[in-house]
Amino acid sequence: MGGSKKHVVARTTPSLAIVATNPHDNKDVVPIEAPIVSSYNDRIRPLLDTVDRLRNLNVMREGIQLPTIVVVGDQSSGKSSVLESLAGISLPRGQGICTRVPLVMRLQRSSSPEPEIWFEYSDKVVPTDEEHITEAICAATDVIAGSGKGVSDAPLTLHVKKAGVPDLTMVDLPGITRVPVNGQPENIYEQISSMIMKYIEPQESIILNVLSATVDFTTCESIRMSRQVDKTGERTLAVVTKADMAPEGLLQKVTADDVSIGLGYVCVRNRIGEESYEEARLQEELLFRNHPMLSLIDDDIVGIPVLAQKLMLIQATMISRCLPEIVRKINHKMETAVLELNKLPMVMASTGEALMALMDIIASAKESLLRILVQGDFSEFPDDQTMHCTARLADMLSQFSDNLQAKPEDVTEFLMDEIKILDECKCVGLPNFIPRSAFLAILSQHVENIHVKPVEFIKKIWEYIEVVLSSVITKYSENFPQIQSAIKRAGRNLITKIKEQSVERVMEIVEMEKLTDYTCNPEYMTSWTQKTAEQQNFIHAVLFDAKKPEHFPLNGFGIVPISHLRKYHAHLLQQAFDMKMRITSYWTIVLRRIVDSLALYLQLSVKYLVNSQFQKEIVAEMVDPRAGGGVERMLEESPSVASKREKLKNSIKLLKESKDAVAAIVDQSSGYGDR
């Protein structure tokens, strides 16, 4: 036995020592060397310390992944046994599903001879000791996942600060089970699979895939899952447990590597029954030394000490490789958080400050409105065509002009409106003179037919401008949600007032066209002269043409029916024809004049809105105590902004501390990952 003992000592890794306690007999055992110890400590210890400091700072809540060993395996593959052998503490073991929540094991080296062990879960910190770890884990699991057989993805963190234990973090996940038994949820497989994928998917995760020697590796569900996220196996290490239970063919299994385990295999023997950790390691050493089949396996891939060394080296390499990217992410997230914090509104300390902030909002909104409504500059909203205002206003004006000047369908026969009006306005006088009252009556009738269109147009214009105004106000007051609704309400009130004024003004413009017939536009005489040139031919066709044609081609009117006109006298037809041509020529000018007047009025009123009314009306509304005292409300920071400010401050503080934590180690480790 002496030779065996010497062999055992030679196979262990000399460095630190821990005192292991047998949880079953409560007796201290002589100091033994910690299983997770490496001759690389001087080089990798700073890396592990740095990552552990980042974990202590909880930098992962900022979305920054840290290199972590994630332990996965099919149900009862021996995961917990591997972990307790590595850490030197007891974990729940037995038939069925033992691990029902992610168990985050954080091992931290301590100079104190007394171990410190505690749990963190559900915002609780629960102290325990080595003797009661198993009971404490079961109790905490029941709190997190319920007392049944269900699982939860809420983590349970186990802190172990103990002499001889290096800094290392491992996550033990529930074993994969396909068929729910003993009260497990029907979707237990889906729940566990989702949880496992969440932990192994990050490229920073080191997958410790625990396989039982008693099964075919190619059928293991844990292998299938790990290959989904790590196809080449470059971050997967396989641990083969229960080597003593199925030694036949194990050498071929781990050398053939049919399942692409890039980081290789380590074969181990699980602790059995009430064996102490020292006894278990001794039996493992003897097994792989003396067993006729297992002794053929290379010493470099057997035993818990070898597994410990591999994990230390792999994690150190992963840390070294990931640190530059971690630093980049920390810097980026911190810069983003600082920018977001700076965008938040200043906390107001006085009414004067609030008033200045309000004036800044109004001034910025005014400048924006000036650019987009008057100057035609849409660079502020390049992708939102609704905010390309001068172009949209021009489009709306063009559509209105086309709609206004579109020829309505004739509901009466040609010249009959004119004849009826002339008949009602006839008086004693020369027959070839058109009564002015008749012309004004026809003109008034035309105006009455279109008077709704300009009013609808101007309403539509101000409804559009209200949308634009609301968008601009929303943008520049977004940091002050407590007053945003008040400013928008003031904007709506302003637009309502202007809309009412505009409707009155447009109605005046339209009404003016009824009062008199006037234009200095020479186009009127030109058009009338051209149109009346057909008068004699028209009268001849109606009254004197022996063929009595039913229709007459008339320039500007198309082919018009004329047979209904033969019962009227020539002088009445001449008057009606003349008035038709006059009103047609004049009406074209009237319609253009209405369009021009509205266009000019629109330009003027928009400019007046931006340059004068906007600032004056908004300020008056916001400082009016009867309106609710908008300025005073700016002193009250909204809960959402206050919460966001606090969250950003905490993130910046955390990220700054994280940046400081990694600053010293980055240069030292820059080349380690390639060694």
Side-chain angles (χ1 to χ4, degrees), residues 125-144:
V125 176
V126 180
T128 187
D129 54 39
E130 289 185 273
E131 185 178 350
H132 298 95
I133 285 179
T134 296
E135 293 88 339
I137 290 177
C138 292
T141 299
D142 287 345
V143 172
I144 297 171

Side-chain angles (χ1 to χ4, degrees), residues 239-251:
V239 181
V240 182
T241 64
K242 306 178 183 179
D244 53 330
M245 297 175 62
E248 296 83 0
L250 183 57
L251 175 61

Side-chain angles (χ1 to χ4, degrees), residues 374-416:
V374 179
Q375 298 173 355
D377 181 355
F378 54 81
S379 57
E380 189 175 346
F381 301 92
D383 301 321
D384 187 355
Q385 292 191 345
T386 303
M387 302 299 287
H388 301 177
C389 297
T390 55
R392 299 293 77 77
L393 290 173
D395 288 343
M396 295 167 73
L397 185 65
S398 177
Q399 292 171 10
F400 166 68
S401 177
D402 293 342
N403 181 39
L404 190 66
Q405 298 182 67
K407 290 184 178 180
E409 294 184 8
D410 289 333
V411 295
T412 58
E413 294 177 301
F414 188 66
L415 290 188
M416 289 310 298

